[in-house]
Protein backbone atom coordinates (compact mmCIF):
# COMPACT_ATOMS: atom_id res chain seq x y z
CA UNK A 1 0.00 0.00 0.00
CA UNK A 2 1.02 3.61 -0.48
CA UNK A 3 3.12 5.04 2.32
CA UNK A 4 4.63 8.48 2.78
CA UNK A 5 6.75 8.87 5.90
CA UNK A 6 8.02 12.34 6.74
CA UNK A 7 10.96 12.98 9.00
CA UNK A 8 13.26 15.82 10.00
CA UNK A 9 10.86 18.02 11.92
CA UNK A 10 12.41 19.69 14.96
CA UNK A 11 12.61 22.83 17.06
CA UNK A 12 14.87 25.41 15.45
CA UNK A 13 15.80 29.01 16.21
CA UNK A 14 14.71 31.87 13.93
CA UNK A 15 17.16 32.16 11.05
CA UNK A 16 18.02 28.50 11.25
CA UNK A 17 17.76 25.73 8.69
CA UNK A 18 16.15 22.32 8.52
CA UNK A 19 15.79 19.59 5.91
CA UNK A 20 12.67 17.49 5.77
CA UNK A 21 12.57 14.09 4.10
CA UNK A 22 9.68 12.00 2.84
CA UNK A 23 10.26 8.32 2.21
CA UNK A 24 7.79 6.95 -0.34
CA UNK A 25 6.77 3.36 -0.96
CA UNK A 26 3.95 1.33 -2.49
CA UNK A 27 3.85 3.19 -5.83
CA UNK A 28 6.10 4.10 -8.76
CA UNK A 29 7.61 7.22 -7.23
CA UNK A 30 9.28 8.57 -10.37
CA UNK A 31 5.94 8.86 -12.19
CA UNK A 32 4.14 11.06 -9.66
CA UNK A 33 4.31 14.75 -8.92
CA UNK A 34 4.92 15.47 -5.25
CA UNK A 35 4.09 18.36 -2.96
CA UNK A 36 4.76 19.78 0.48
CA UNK A 37 1.77 21.28 2.28
CA UNK A 38 1.86 22.84 5.73
CA UNK A 39 -0.61 23.56 8.47
CA UNK A 40 0.16 25.98 11.29
CA UNK A 41 -1.24 24.99 14.70
CA UNK A 42 -5.01 25.43 14.69
CA UNK A 43 -4.97 26.92 11.19
CA UNK A 44 -5.84 25.88 7.65
CA UNK A 45 -3.87 24.23 4.88
CA UNK A 46 -1.20 26.04 2.88
CA UNK A 47 0.43 24.53 -0.19
CA UNK A 48 4.19 25.10 -0.04
CA UNK A 49 5.95 23.54 -3.01
CA UNK A 50 5.57 21.16 -5.95
CA UNK A 51 8.01 19.12 -7.99
CA UNK A 52 6.97 17.31 -11.15
CA UNK A 53 7.76 13.60 -11.49
CA UNK A 54 10.85 14.23 -13.60
CA UNK A 55 11.96 17.23 -11.61
CA UNK A 56 11.63 19.65 -14.53
CA UNK A 57 8.80 21.75 -13.14
CA UNK A 58 9.06 23.28 -9.68
CA UNK A 59 6.76 25.81 -8.05
CA UNK A 60 6.63 27.50 -4.65
CA UNK A 61 4.20 29.59 -2.68
CA UNK A 62 5.39 33.19 -2.63
CA UNK A 63 6.05 33.15 1.13
CA UNK A 64 8.88 30.61 0.82
CA UNK A 65 10.47 31.55 -2.50
CA UNK A 66 14.21 32.03 -2.13
CA UNK A 67 14.24 30.28 1.26
CA UNK A 68 12.90 26.77 0.63
CA UNK A 69 14.07 24.24 -1.96
CA UNK A 70 12.15 21.15 -2.96
CA UNK A 71 14.06 18.24 -4.45
CA UNK A 72 13.70 14.53 -5.01
CA UNK A 73 15.90 11.49 -5.45
CA UNK A 74 13.98 9.05 -7.62
CA UNK A 75 16.66 6.38 -7.10
CA UNK A 76 15.73 6.08 -3.42
CA UNK A 77 12.09 7.21 -3.63
CA UNK A 78 12.59 10.22 -1.41
CA UNK A 79 11.30 13.80 -1.48
CA UNK A 80 13.06 16.61 0.35
CA UNK A 81 12.38 20.13 1.53
CA UNK A 82 15.38 22.25 2.45
CA UNK A 83 14.23 25.15 4.59
CA UNK A 84 16.53 28.11 5.27
CA UNK A 85 16.10 31.46 7.03
CA UNK A 86 13.24 30.06 9.07
CA UNK A 87 10.88 32.40 10.89
CA UNK A 88 8.17 31.75 13.50
CA UNK A 89 5.61 31.99 10.69
CA UNK A 90 7.05 28.75 9.30
CA UNK A 91 5.96 26.84 12.39
CA UNK A 92 3.63 24.10 11.17
CA UNK A 93 3.05 20.46 10.51
CA UNK A 94 4.55 19.74 7.10
CA UNK A 95 2.83 17.11 4.99
CA UNK A 96 4.33 15.23 2.07
CA UNK A 97 1.65 14.72 -0.57
CA UNK A 98 1.41 12.57 -3.69
CA UNK A 99 -0.51 13.49 -6.84
CA UNK A 100 -3.63 11.47 -7.47
CA UNK A 101 -2.55 10.31 -10.94
CA UNK A 102 0.82 9.68 -12.56
CA UNK A 103 2.42 11.42 -15.51
CA UNK A 104 0.16 14.45 -15.67
CA UNK A 105 1.48 17.56 -17.40
CA UNK A 106 1.79 19.60 -14.23
CA UNK A 107 -0.04 18.88 -10.96
CA UNK A 108 -2.94 16.66 -10.16
CA UNK A 109 -5.18 16.73 -7.12
CA UNK A 110 -3.70 15.57 -3.83
CA UNK A 111 -4.33 11.84 -3.77
CA UNK A 112 -2.41 10.70 -0.69
CA UNK A 113 -0.94 12.50 2.33
CA UNK A 114 1.68 11.45 4.82
CA UNK A 115 1.03 11.93 8.52
CA UNK A 116 3.22 15.02 8.75
CA UNK A 117 6.24 16.22 10.67
CA UNK A 118 6.20 19.19 13.06
CA UNK A 119 8.54 22.12 12.55
CA UNK A 120 8.69 24.64 15.38
CA UNK A 121 10.61 27.88 14.93
CA UNK A 122 11.14 29.55 18.26
CA UNK A 123 13.83 31.30 20.24
CA UNK B 1 -3.18 34.36 -6.28
CA UNK B 2 -6.69 33.00 -6.55
CA UNK B 3 -8.57 33.37 -3.28
CA UNK B 4 -11.08 30.74 -2.21
CA UNK B 5 -13.75 31.76 0.30
CA UNK B 6 -15.76 29.05 2.01
CA UNK B 7 -19.10 29.56 3.68
CA UNK B 8 -20.03 28.99 6.33
CA UNK B 9 -16.80 28.79 8.35
CA UNK B 10 -18.64 26.84 11.04
CA UNK B 11 -21.67 24.60 10.72
CA UNK B 12 -23.62 22.76 13.38
CA UNK B 13 -25.83 19.90 12.16
CA UNK B 14 -27.39 16.62 13.23
CA UNK B 15 -26.93 13.05 12.05
CA UNK B 16 -29.18 12.54 9.04
CA UNK B 17 -29.18 16.20 7.98
CA UNK B 18 -28.40 17.33 4.45
CA UNK B 19 -25.66 19.94 4.46
CA UNK B 20 -24.11 22.15 1.83
CA UNK B 21 -20.80 23.97 1.97
CA UNK B 22 -19.95 26.67 -0.54
CA UNK B 23 -16.64 27.72 -2.04
CA UNK B 24 -16.28 30.91 -4.06
CA UNK B 25 -13.22 31.63 -6.19
CA UNK B 26 -11.92 35.16 -6.74
CA UNK B 27 -11.68 34.44 -10.46
CA UNK B 28 -12.86 31.71 -12.79
CA UNK B 29 -11.19 28.34 -12.30
CA UNK B 30 -13.30 26.21 -14.68
CA UNK B 31 -13.69 22.84 -12.89
CA UNK B 32 -10.24 22.75 -11.27
CA UNK B 33 -11.57 22.36 -7.76
CA UNK B 34 -11.30 19.65 -5.12
CA UNK B 35 -12.72 19.02 -1.66
CA UNK B 36 -10.83 17.47 1.26
CA UNK B 37 -11.95 16.21 4.65
CA UNK B 38 -9.70 16.50 7.69
CA UNK B 39 -10.35 14.97 11.09
CA UNK B 40 -8.54 16.20 14.22
CA UNK B 41 -4.94 15.08 14.37
CA UNK B 42 -5.12 13.42 10.96
CA UNK B 43 -3.99 14.26 7.45
CA UNK B 44 -6.60 15.48 4.96
CA UNK B 45 -8.34 13.05 2.64
CA UNK B 46 -9.47 13.72 -0.94
CA UNK B 47 -13.26 13.50 -1.37
CA UNK B 48 -14.11 15.16 -4.68
CA UNK B 49 -11.94 16.33 -7.58
CA UNK B 50 -12.61 18.14 -10.84
CA UNK B 51 -15.54 19.79 -9.08
CA UNK B 52 -17.85 16.76 -9.16
CA UNK B 53 -15.91 13.49 -9.48
CA UNK B 54 -16.07 11.26 -6.43
CA UNK B 55 -12.69 9.88 -5.35
CA UNK B 56 -12.54 6.10 -5.23
CA UNK B 57 -13.70 4.73 -1.90
CA UNK B 58 -15.58 7.86 -0.84
CA UNK B 59 -19.24 7.25 0.13
CA UNK B 60 -21.85 8.32 -2.40
CA UNK B 61 -23.54 10.63 0.11
CA UNK B 62 -20.81 13.12 -0.79
CA UNK B 63 -21.28 15.09 -4.00
CA UNK B 64 -19.82 18.20 -5.57
CA UNK B 65 -20.94 20.67 -8.20
CA UNK B 66 -20.04 23.98 -9.75
CA UNK B 67 -18.03 25.70 -12.45
CA UNK B 68 -16.19 28.95 -12.80
CA UNK B 69 -16.38 30.74 -9.46
CA UNK B 70 -19.15 29.02 -7.49
CA UNK B 71 -18.85 25.50 -6.08
CA UNK B 72 -20.67 23.39 -3.52
CA UNK B 73 -20.03 20.25 -1.50
CA UNK B 74 -23.15 18.42 -0.39
CA UNK B 75 -23.48 15.64 2.15
CA UNK B 76 -26.89 14.09 1.61
CA UNK B 77 -27.34 12.44 5.01
CA UNK B 78 -24.78 13.19 7.69
CA UNK B 79 -23.17 10.26 9.42
CA UNK B 80 -21.29 10.44 12.73
CA UNK B 81 -17.94 9.99 10.96
CA UNK B 82 -18.58 13.05 8.75
CA UNK B 83 -18.05 15.57 11.51
CA UNK B 84 -14.75 17.12 10.49
CA UNK B 85 -13.26 20.15 8.75
CA UNK B 86 -13.68 20.50 5.00
CA UNK B 87 -11.42 22.42 2.62
CA UNK B 88 -11.79 23.37 -1.01
CA UNK B 89 -8.69 23.67 -3.21
CA UNK B 90 -7.99 25.04 -6.67
CA UNK B 91 -5.44 23.76 -9.17
CA UNK B 92 -6.21 26.26 -11.92
CA UNK B 93 -2.94 28.12 -11.49
CA UNK B 94 0.63 27.20 -10.57
CA UNK B 95 0.00 28.73 -7.16
CA UNK B 96 -2.31 26.22 -5.53
CA UNK B 97 -4.60 27.61 -2.85
CA UNK B 98 -7.07 26.30 -0.28
CA UNK B 99 -10.17 27.77 1.23
CA UNK B 100 -10.03 28.67 4.92
CA UNK B 101 -12.01 25.59 5.93
CA UNK B 102 -15.49 24.78 7.18
CA UNK B 103 -15.75 23.08 10.54
CA UNK B 104 -18.75 20.77 10.74
CA UNK B 105 -19.83 19.90 14.26
CA UNK B 106 -22.57 17.85 15.85
CA UNK B 107 -25.60 19.82 17.01
Amino acid sequence: QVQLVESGGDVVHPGGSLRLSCAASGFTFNTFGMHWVRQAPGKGLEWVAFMHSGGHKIFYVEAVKGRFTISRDNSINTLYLQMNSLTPDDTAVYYCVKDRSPLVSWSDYFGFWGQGTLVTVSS
Amino acid sequence: DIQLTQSPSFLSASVGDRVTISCRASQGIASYLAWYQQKPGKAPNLLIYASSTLQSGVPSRFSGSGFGTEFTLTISSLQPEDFATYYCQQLYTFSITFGQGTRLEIK
Side-chain angles (χ1 to χ4, degrees):
Chain A
Q1 72 278 23
V2 174
Q3 286 196 13
L4 297 171
V5 179
E6 301 95 336
S7 61
D10 204 345
V11 179
V12 61
H13 291 305
S17 298
L18 212 54
R19 188 177 85 155
L20 306 183
S21 299
C22 171
S25 60
F27 63 102
T28 307
F29 182 72
N30 64 6
T31 65
F32 283 83
M34 298 292 296
H35 304 257
W36 289 99
V37 176
R38 67 185 179 183
Q39 186 168 35
K43 302 297 185 183
L45 302 169
E46 181 180 39
W47 168 79
V48 173
F50 164 77
M51 177 171 266
H52 193 259
S53 56
H56 307 302
K57 296 177 185 176
I58 296 174
F59 301 98
Y60 299 96
V61 70
E62 192 66 34
V64 309
K65 283 180 182 176
R67 300 188 300 122
F68 289 13
T69 302
I70 188 173
S71 62
R72 62 193 296 163
D73 186 338
N74 287 342
S75 68
I76 58 170
N77 295 345
T78 301
L79 180 74
Y80 301 101
L81 185 68
Q82 176 67 42
M83 304 185 295
N84 299 329
S85 302
L86 286 161
T87 76
D89 287 343
D90 297 314
T91 294
V93 172
Y94 284 74
Y95 293 102
C96 171
V97 184
K98 163 190 168 292
D99 270 356
R100 185 185 61 87
S101 297
L103 301 173
V104 296
S105 60
W106 96 269
S107 173
D108 197 6
Y109 300 96
F110 294 4
F112 190 85
W113 302 57
Q115 285 308 300
T117 186
L118 177 62
V119 172
T120 302
V121 184
S122 174
S123 54
Chain B
D1 286 359
I2 295 176
Q3 310 302 317
L4 297 178
T5 303
Q6 291 181 230
S7 59
S9 295
F10 177 83
L11 181 58
S12 181
S14 301
V15 172
D17 283 354
R18 177 184 178 91
V19 301
T20 298
I21 299 170
S22 297
C23 178
R24 174 174 291 179
S26 59
Q27 66 186 76
I29 59 171
S31 296
Y32 290 94
L33 189 107
W35 292 94
Y36 297 84
Q37 177 193 66
Q38 186 178 33
K39 296 182 179 179
K42 300 294 187 182
N45 185 48
L46 177 64
L47 299 175
I48 302 280
Y49 63 93
S51 179
S52 61
T53 304
L54 196 66
Q55 170 71 344
S56 176
V58 174
S60 60
R61 62 181 179 272
F62 291 92
S63 64
S65 64
F67 184 89
T69 61
E70 300 286 342
F71 301 86
T72 58
L73 171 70
T74 300
I75 309 173
S76 60
S77 178
L78 274 174
Q79 299 302 301
E81 61 267 29
D82 299 337
F83 293 93
T85 300
Y86 294 84
Y87 294 93
C88 59
Q89 174 210 38
Q90 65 80 20
L91 261 77
Y92 186 75
T93 69
F94 295 143
S95 186
I96 297 168
T97 51
F98 290 90
Q100 82 278 14
T102 294
R103 185 176 169 190
L104 176 56
E105 291 201 342
I106 300 173
K107 183 182 290 183

